Amino acid sequence: ITTSGQKQITYDIDSIKERLAGKKLSFKVQVKNKKKVQDNKGRFFAMGTASTFGMYGAKMGYVKKFGAYAAYSDTFSGGMFDNFTITAGGMMRAASWLYPYVGVGYGQLNFWEYGHTMYGLIPFEAGVMFKLGPVSLSAAVEPILVSEKGMLATFEFGVGFCF
């Protein structure tokens, strides 16, 4: 069998030539190509995000088998709860539709409980992006280490496009 697109099957019938003399021969050949074509194309993605802290932002990146992303979230209020996070991390392609990712970053969290208190924070992010055709959906959890307050957590959801 060749791999050039044309198939050849050779069978030596010299040993049974006398038994086949005068008989009608017919052959049926079925070929099934079970080799799955793998999509190794890299993907750019961009999405808008929203989190449970009332922060909105954007996440962008590129992934082939492995890749990277960067994200920014903010309350965009400029007032009482002026919070932001910047994260970057790595991601991988687990399946053609499944992309888990992890990242770390820096941010600021303002509390107005007993006067104005601002905390520097280190957000860790773990999530997964689902690719459904050209649409991408993501869900992540961000356990945030706030230096004076301990550990907080926020959940983030996103919607965007892969191209």
Side-chain angles (χ1 to χ4, degrees):
I1 296 180
T2 66
T3 58
S4 66
Q6 295 181 359
K7 308 298 182 211
Q8 264 184 345
I9 300 173
T10 306
Y11 183 75
D12 185 14
I13 60 168
D14 285 339
S15 62
I16 58 169
K17 198 185 293 186
E18 287 91 34
R19 286 189 299 168
L20 296 175
K23 305 245 182 194
K24 183 178 177 185
L25 296 177
S26 65
F27 295 95
K28 183 177 182 182
V29 178
Q30 293 181 336
V31 177
K32 291 184 180 180
N33 187 1
K34 291 190 178 185
K35 182 180 176 185
K36 187 176 180 181
V37 177
Q38 189 175 2
D39 178 15
N40 287 325
K41 182 179 175 184
R43 303 271 183 217
F44 284 100
F45 67 90
M47 66 178 59
T49 60
S51 77
T52 55
F53 274 0
M55 297 183 353
Y56 302 94
K59 186 174 292 186
M60 298 167 58
Y62 176 82
V63 63
K64 193 170 181 176
K65 179 65 178 165
F66 296 97
Y69 75 94
Y72 178 78
S73 294
D74 199 322
T75 54
F76 297 106
S77 65
M80 208 156 93
F81 299 103
D82 189 25
N83 305 318
F84 76 90
T85 61
I86 299 170
T87 56
M91 58 190 320
M92 70 173 284
R93 180 182 176 171
S96 63
W97 54 273
L98 182 66
Y99 299 81
Y101 59 90
V102 293
V104 66
Y106 179 76
Q108 170 181 302
L109 185 58
N110 290 316
F111 285 98
W112 288 84
E113 294 167 347
Y114 303 102
H116 178 253
T117 309
M118 182 180 75
Y119 297 105
L121 54 94
I122 301 170
F124 300 93
E125 183 175 39
V128 64
M129 182 177 78
F130 302 96
K131 181 185 161 303
L132 308 166
V135 177
S136 59
L137 305 172
S138 74
V141 63
E142 259 186 32
I144 300 171
L145 179 61
V146 180
S147 53
E148 292 85 0
K149 290 289 247 185
M151 189 70 73
L152 301 172
T154 182
F155 297 95
E156 179 185 89
F157 303 96
V159 133
F161 294 97
C162 288
F163 42 94

